[in-house]
Amino acid sequence: MLRLPRKFKAEQNLNFTLLSDFNKEASTAYGAIYENFVLDLKGVSKRSAFVLDKDGVIRYAEVLEKASDVPNFQAVKTTLEGLN
């Protein structure tokens, strides 16, 4: 079941929908999951950022291979601003 992280959204004053992917459904569907991770862990989500428009079309996608890397937040912001 996909959950929306309401508390984080409120704390960060975000005006768009966020997704918490506890069961890794979205990570699997979007190809953002490690088959094998550190210490042979299975099913670990990769650090990723996706922006979908109101019709569900992916407008920005970034899937990082290194867990220590972070998404390009400026690119995410620019994509979001272009949706308005």
Side-chain angles (χ1 to χ4, degrees), residues 59-75:
R59 297 299 178 181
Y60 180 85
E62 183 177 8
V63 178
L64 302 165
E65 292 300 320
K66 276 181 73 177
S68 60
D69 289 345
V70 295
N72 181 339
F73 296 118
Q74 184 57 50

Side-chain angles (χ1 to χ4, degrees), residues 1 8 10 14 21 24 28 34 40 48 51-52 63-64 66 68-69 80:
M1 178 175 135
F8 177 79
L14 302 175
D21 190 26
K24 311 298 188 285
T28 301
Y34 292 104
D40 205 30
S48 308
V51 177
L52 284 70
V63 178
L64 302 165
K66 276 181 73 177
S68 60
D69 289 345
L80 288 167

Side-chain angles (χ1 to χ4, degrees), residues 8-84:
F8 177 79
K9 182 179 175 177
E11 289 172 350
Q12 300 299 315
N13 196 32
L14 302 175
N15 65 352
F16 49 87
T17 303
L18 296 174
L19 172 74
S20 175
D21 190 26
F22 181 78
N23 291 321
K24 311 298 188 285
E25 295 170 36
S27 297
T28 301
Y30 284 85
I33 197 158
Y34 292 104
E35 290 193 29
N36 290 305
F37 193 62
V38 177
L39 302 174
D40 205 30
L41 292 173
K42 308 277 190 243
V44 175
S45 295
K46 294 179 180 180
R47 190 172 302 243
S48 308
F50 296 93
V51 177
L52 284 70
D53 67 17
K54 64 182 178 180
D55 298 317
V57 175
I58 298 171
R59 297 299 178 181
Y60 180 85
E62 183 177 8
V63 178
L64 302 165
E65 292 300 320
K66 276 181 73 177
S68 60
D69 289 345
V70 295
N72 181 339
F73 296 118
Q74 184 57 50
V76 171
K77 181 179 178 186
T78 300
T79 303
L80 288 167
E81 289 170 347
L83 295 178
N84 295 329

